[in-house]
Amino acid sequence: MGLHTSAAILGRRAIRKYKPDQVPDEVLREILAEARWAPSATNTQSTNVYAVSGEPLERFKAELRQYAESEVEPKPDFPPGTGLPPALMARQQALFQARASFIAAEEAKMGIRPADPPVSPTVAGAAVFGAPTLLVLTFEEGVSDAYGCFDAGLFSMAVCLAAQSRGLGTCIAGGVARNAELLHKLLPGTDKHKILITIAIGYPDNDAPVNRFPRTRLAVDDFVTFVR
Ligand SMILES: Cc1cc2nc3c(=O)[nH]c(=O)nc-3n(C[C@H](O)[C@H](O)[C@H](O)COP(=O)(O)O)c2cc1C
C-alpha cells in the first residue's frame, strides 16, 4: 500500500510546522498498527506509545512553556552525552545555520519580520511545532537501555514512514521530553517507565520555510568503511 519504501524514505523530512487539522483516530490507529511490525529484540515489543492530543496536549504545552520561560533545568530520563565529537558538532551547527539563514531569507521574501525581541528556541520548542498529536515513546525499567532505545528507534522510523505514505508529517523530538517529570505527571502508569522520545504527527504545512530548507547527508564513503 502507499508509496514504495525507497520513495517514502527519501520523501520524508522532519516537519516542524503543522496545519491545525486533527489526525482522525482511525488514521492514527492505522499508522500504529503498521508500525507495530517494526522489529524488536526477541520480539519483546518493548515500546509503549502514548498518543496525546486535545486538552491534555494543550496543558502539557503550557507547562513546558512555563518551564522554558523560567529556565527550569532540563531533566530527561536519559542523561545527555558527555560532549559531541567535533565533526558531529560541526554538522549540528551546519544544520542550525542552514535552517536559520534559509528561513530568514524566505520570510523576508514573504514580508515576515523576525520576532523582536527574538523568542528563545526552548520557548519556541514548547509549542511542539503546532502538531495536533504528540506520540510519547517509553519503555519499562528492566529493559536494557540499548535494546529499549533500539526498539523504539526502529518503531519511530516505521511510524514516520507509515505517516509519510498517508500524507502526514512527523518530527522525532527529543527536546520535548527534556523535562520528563511533566510527561510522567501527564501519562498514567509511567512510574516504572523511562520516557525516551516524542514524535509530533499531523498534516504538514508544506509552504512553511521551516519545512522546506535544504538538508544534507554525508557521502557514503564518508561514513562507511568497506572491509574486504
Ligand atoms: C533522536 C532524535 C531526536 C531529535 N530531536 C529533535 C528535537 O528536539 N527538535 C527538532 O526540531 N528536531 C529533532 N530531531 C529531528 C532531527 O533534527 C532531524 O531528523 C535531522 O535534522 C535530519 O533532518 P530530517 O529528519 O529532515 O531528514 C530529532 C531526531 C532524532 C532522530
Side-chain angles (χ1 to χ4, degrees):
M1 87 139 302
L3 294 170
H4 184 272
T5 311
S6 296
I9 291 172
L10 297 176
R12 184 212 58 83
R13 62 174 297 149
I15 294 300
R16 297 187 178 87
K17 187 158 188 241
Y18 293 85
K19 294 180 179 162
D21 312 60
Q22 292 297 316
V23 182
D25 269 357
E26 59 273 22
V27 174
L28 207 51
R29 282 184 169 280
E30 231 180 77
I31 291 167
L32 294 166
E34 205 167 295
R36 77 199 151 122
W37 287 97
S40 67
T42 55
N43 202 25
T44 44
Q45 302 166 72
S46 63
T47 310
N48 300 290
V49 180
Y50 291 81
V52 186
S53 57
E55 191 277 326
L57 179 58
E58 291 311 313
R59 189 162 17 110
F60 168 66
K61 289 196 295 190
E63 290 178 347
L64 194 60
R65 188 187 167 100
Q66 222 167 44
Y67 270 41
E69 282 170 349
S70 351
E71 295 178 17
V72 173
E73 197 66 20
K75 215 168 164 220
D77 279 354
F78 291 87
T82 51
L84 281 181
L88 277 66
M89 180 97 81
R91 287 175 212 154
Q92 187 182 62
Q93 287 310 315
L95 163 71
F96 294 154
Q97 264 162 30
R99 184 162 76 192
S101 60
F102 180 87
I103 291 172
E106 288 297 295
E107 288 190 343
K109 274 194 237 162
M110 296 157 89
I112 301 170
R113 295 237 197 110
D116 185 21
V119 183
S120 90
T122 329
V123 172
V128 193
F129 322 111
T133 299
L134 183 69
L135 304 179
V136 184
L137 273 47
T138 76
F139 61 87
E140 285 179 74
E141 284 174 8
V143 177
S144 79
D145 283 355
Y147 280 7
C149 291
F150 206 102
D151 293 352
L154 291 165
F155 183 85
S156 298
M157 187 59 170
V159 165
C160 293
L161 296 185
Q164 166 78 12
S165 75
R166 288 168 177 80
L168 278 88
T170 51
C171 185
I172 298 170
V176 176
R178 67 203 302 271
N179 303 110
E181 62 172 296
L182 292 180
L183 287 169
H184 281 291
K185 189 174 71 163
L186 181 75
L187 308 173
T190 53
D191 298 6
K192 294 199 160 23
H193 288 208
K194 293 185 190 174
I195 290 168
L196 175 60
I197 199 93
T198 70
I199 309 177
I201 184 165
Y203 295 96
D205 178 347
N206 290 318
D207 296 332
V210 72
N211 292 338
R212 290 192 282 115
F213 69 89
R215 299 153 311 138
T216 61
R217 290 296 194 264
L218 298 174
V220 168
D221 287 318
D222 289 339
F223 69 96
V224 180
T225 306
F226 292 95
V227 181
R228 296 187 174 100

